[in-house]
Amino acid sequence: MKRVYLDNAATSYPKAPGVAQAVYNYIENIGGNVGRGTYKNAYSAGQMVYETRELICNLFNFDNPLNCVFTSNITQSLNILLKGFLKNGDHVIVSSMEHNAVMRPLNSLKKSGVEFDRIICRQDGTLNPEDIKEKIKPNTKLVVMTHASNVCGTILPVEEVGKICRRHNIHFILDSAQSAGFLDVDFKKLNLSALAFTGHKGLLGPQGIGGFLIDSDFVKEVSTLSEGGTGSLSESELQPDYMPDKFESGTLNIPGIYGLNAALKYLSSTGIQNIRKIEQELTEEFIKEVLNIKGVKLIGLRGIEGRTSVVSLDFVGNDNAEASYILDNEFGIMTRVGLHCAPSAHKTLGTFPEGTVRFSFGHFNTMDEVKYTVESIYKTIKML
Ligand SMILES: Cc1ncc(COP(=O)(O)O)c(C=O)c1O
């Protein structure tokens, strides 16, 4: 049976060419820890880690590789940033399209006296940046927002949000999980205080590696969530306060960084605009076709403008879980059904608690796969 992978919003597959070889090469031929050994292989791994920080900085237009911190994923990055910064009495603004990687830490911080307000987006997932102004209070310290919805692909107006934050002297943290690798994510243009990223989605790297970039002033206001060995300042029992050691306790995911390095080189040689163009062509064709199908409803924006390649469908009057099961079982099409760890987004879109079937394209998908998927949706509806 044909197999068509359409779950790139969860994790990209296949990975960029060279990623698997880079991970293998490190484990098989290099080994050695970073910043801990005085032998050649440890230096060579150390150089590779530093080069990867530089590649991340190039991608996101950021100047200081030492303020690029590696973590295991964006969830960990967001936890460090939110819990390390926010204190009793602070107020935060979020959009109603956030993933639980933002909402769960914020709800947990409520117990420590942190409060938050949600800007309710329109039913297509779009946000009016002016709505932020009404929510700003004297104790508003932070806006944290996803760049694009992981449910329906709507892109949020983060440049305008960044300008408002700058004018009101509020920090701005971006969740780039659904934009990095195919949208322009520019630390300076967006007026960010910190940018959280994950390596295994649009960046096309392996799972288990993520991180964040952080502004040199903001970093002074963020305390650590974990402390331990850093390979540096070993005479002291206190955590170093310099970067990136302040936030990188314990051995890094070095194989993951080797893989991410290869992925970032692939992105730079291919050009993220070219990746975006292919994804847009595939998504546009898919949307054009599904709009003609009776029995499915497109959730979110109905055109290609202002969206990514994440498309949610509701199999109206039927069980979406069954539709997703049939698509996989009968036609080999891999989608993700349910609430996508984003109950607030589904409430905004009017698809809570039923959820949707999410089709997320990557630039390795083909037009033939789009056509096959459309035909399979027609057949699936008949089988429901
Ligand atoms: C918008 C958004 N934020 C955060 C995450 C969490 O990513 P990770 O599991 O890599 O930490 C996801 C993953 O689906 C996401 O879509």
Side-chain angles (χ1 to χ4, degrees):
M1 194 201 298
K2 208 170 172 146
R3 302 294 291 164
V4 181
Y5 185 77
L6 296 181
D7 198 16
N8 289 281
T11 196
S12 53
Y13 177 78
K15 298 302 178 188
V19 167
Q21 291 83 343
V23 173
Y24 178 86
N25 181 40
Y26 167 74
I27 293 174
E28 194 65 14
N29 302 319
I30 301 169
N33 212 331
V34 172
R36 270 97 166 152
T38 46
Y39 41 89
K40 282 199 191 74
N41 286 13
Y43 285 131
S44 123
Q47 275 165 2
M48 181 63 112
V49 170
Y50 190 78
E51 184 189 85
T52 312
R53 296 190 207 276
E54 291 180 320
L55 291 169
I56 286 284
C57 289
N58 292 344
L59 179 69
F60 296 125
N61 190 24
F62 186 72
D63 292 333
N64 186 357
L66 293 178
N67 279 19
C68 170
V69 172
F70 286 120
T71 63
S72 49
N73 51 44
I74 199 168
T75 303
Q76 195 188 7
S77 303
L78 289 163
N79 269 275
I80 293 172
L81 291 166
L82 296 173
K83 293 179 180 164
F85 172 61
L86 293 165
K87 290 173 194 60
N88 182 10
D90 289 348
H91 174 247
V92 186
I93 299 174
V94 294
S95 85
S96 67
M97 299 306 286
E98 299 311 312
H99 189 275
N100 272 344
V102 165
M103 296 320 299
R104 285 185 175 171
L106 284 183
N107 274 292
S108 153
L109 278 161
K110 268 183 168 178
K111 289 177 223 133
S112 329
V114 173
E115 45 168 22
F116 67 84
D117 267 314
R118 227 184 286 253
I119 304 162
I120 306 300
C121 296
R122 302 182 190 99
Q123 224 192 347
D124 57 9
T126 54
L127 177 143
N128 178 3
E130 294 300 308
D131 290 352
I132 293 186
K133 292 184 187 160
E134 287 158 28
K135 301 277 185 209
I136 296 176
K137 306 201 287 190
N139 60 338
T140 305
K141 292 284 165 57
L142 178 74
V143 172
V144 51
M145 197 172 280
T146 185
H147 196 164
S149 164
N150 68 312
V151 176
C152 62
T154 305
I155 299 170
L156 300 188
V158 288
E159 202 174 328
E160 287 86 335
V161 173
K163 284 185 188 141
I164 295 170
C165 289
R166 159 92 13 137
R167 241 177 279 136
H168 290 82
N169 214 8
I170 296 168
H171 288 297
F172 182 23
I173 297 177
L174 185 77
D175 170 348
S176 75
Q178 295 297 334
S179 60
F182 47 89
L183 293 187
D184 179 35
V185 186
D186 185 317
F187 195 98
K188 291 180 198 162
K189 198 156 78 183
L190 298 181
N191 282 308
L192 298 177
S193 304
L195 182 163
F197 62 90
T198 204
H200 67 105
K201 298 184 193 260
L203 294 186
L204 305 178
Q207 293 84 0
I209 184 71
F212 60 88
L213 298 176
I214 185 160
D215 171 80
S216 300
D217 288 328
F218 185 48
V219 76
K220 294 180 198 143
E221 301 181 55
V222 182
S223 43
T224 54
L225 267 198
S226 64
E227 297 81 24
T230 54
S232 57
L233 215 69
S234 290
E235 69 280 10
S236 169
E237 289 188 349
L238 298 179
Q239 186 74 5
D241 63 358
Y242 50 82
M243 296 292 285
D245 303 34
K246 178 175 173 182
F247 294 105
E248 286 183 352
S249 299
T251 298
L252 289 171
N253 175 2
I254 308 173
I257 295 174
Y258 269 73
L260 182 61
N261 184 290
L264 291 166
K265 285 179 180 157
Y266 170 80
L267 289 181
S268 132
S269 65
T270 308
I272 62 168
Q273 313 83 330
N274 296 324
I275 291 175
R276 167 97 170 124
K277 190 164 170 285
I278 296 170
E279 290 184 357
Q280 279 189 311
E281 283 164 6
L282 299 171
T283 310
E284 188 165 27
E285 178 64 18
F286 183 67
I287 289 179
K288 195 184 89 201
E289 291 295 335
V290 293
L291 283 173
N292 294 325
I293 306 180
K294 289 193 185 68
V296 291
K297 183 178 168 207
L298 175 71
I299 304 301
L301 294 170
R302 297 170 74 79
I304 192 66
E305 281 309 308
R307 61 145 56 248
T308 65
S309 57
V310 175
V311 184
S312 256
L313 297 183
D314 179 25
F315 284 71
V316 188
N318 282 301
D319 182 354
N320 283 321
E322 199 185 339
S324 174
Y325 174 78
I326 294 173
L327 282 167
D328 177 48
N329 207 42
E330 300 294 324
F331 306 106
I333 296 172
M334 292 165 259
T335 60
R336 173 142 177 232
V337 70
L339 293 172
H340 312 99
C341 301
S344 175
H346 276 281
K347 282 177 190 165
T348 309
L349 298 164
T351 48
F352 185 88
E354 300 78 19
T356 54
V357 183
R358 184 181 71 181
F359 300 74
S360 49
F361 299 90
H363 76 296
F364 293 123
N365 287 121
T366 63
M367 220 28 121
D368 277 349
E369 289 178 337
V370 171
K371 291 195 178 114
Y372 175 71
T373 303
V374 171
E375 285 162 20
S376 306
I377 292 175
Y378 276 108
K379 290 181 187 162
T380 300
I381 293 170
K382 287 203 181 118
M383 294 167 80
L384 282 166

